[in-house]
Amino acid sequence: WVDEGSASTDVPKGELGIWTSTQRFLVANTAGNPQTVYPSDAGDPQTFNQSTTSFDIGEKSVTGITGMMEFTNAEVMMFTRDEMHLLDISATAATSWLRRKIADIGCEAPRTVRLIGEDALFLGRDGVRSVLQSAQDKKRGASLPISFPIQDWIDRINWVQVKKSLAWVWSDKYFLSVPVDGAT
């Protein structure tokens, strides 16, 4: 993507981005606004009207948005370190999108958010979490992460370097690569 000199419609620089069925979403375009989401115009992934369509997710913090994925054709899941948000993008105008916080559980590493079946898995502060389970747990109270049976390995994660973690799905299995002990 090329900066063509137009501050209002150029693609904003970002650390994290996704394509949905109709547009692009970019985040963390500056250190001062890591929680700001910049959606492109619907049907035109090259055009960004930042002054009218950008919005914030979660509380302003140093880490900002730490994960993002298209959950369904009309929903985007966004994570901070402490929260999970669902964005309903079924309306054409970004100003009409519904945003809601669905859980007080967040994601630590952007590349660990992966869709598996009708659920999404991600690496949270206490292990691998499920979006569906986390949303249900909000109603019932706290629960254990799905990675609890391997908690001894989760406890060895180097949390200083956790942002480098990566997950992938293969043959209906979630694989996770993380730095452990002193590894970087």
Side-chain angles (χ1 to χ4, degrees), residues 87-110:
L87 178 65
D88 180 342
I89 61 170
S90 58
T92 304
T95 54
S96 300
W97 291 343
L98 299 174
R99 292 174 279 181
R100 69 182 201 269
K101 182 171 102 171
I102 59 171
D104 289 319
I105 295 171
C107 176
E108 289 291 320

Side-chain angles (χ1 to χ4, degrees), residues 103-115:
D104 289 319
I105 295 171
C107 176
E108 289 291 320
R111 297 183 305 167
T112 65
V113 180
R114 295 291 179 254
L115 194 61

Side-chain angles (χ1 to χ4, degrees), residues 109-114 123 162-168 174-179:
R111 297 183 305 167
T112 65
V113 180
R114 295 291 179 254
L123 180 62
V162 74
K163 191 172 182 180
K164 297 176 182 177
S165 299
L166 173 67
W168 64 96
Y174 179 84
F175 293 87
L176 180 65
S177 173
V178 295

Side-chain angles (χ1 to χ4, degrees), residues 113-150:
V113 180
R114 295 291 179 254
L115 194 61
I116 183 165
E118 294 182 2
D119 198 359
L121 302 182
F122 61 95
L123 180 62
R125 284 186 187 175
D126 57 354
V128 176
R129 290 284 185 169
S130 153
V131 167
L132 294 179
Q133 177 187 4
S134 298
Q136 289 172 356
D137 290 345
K138 183 176 181 183
K139 298 172 190 170
R140 297 186 304 221
S143 71
L144 296 172
I146 63 171
S147 60
F148 185 73
I150 58 164

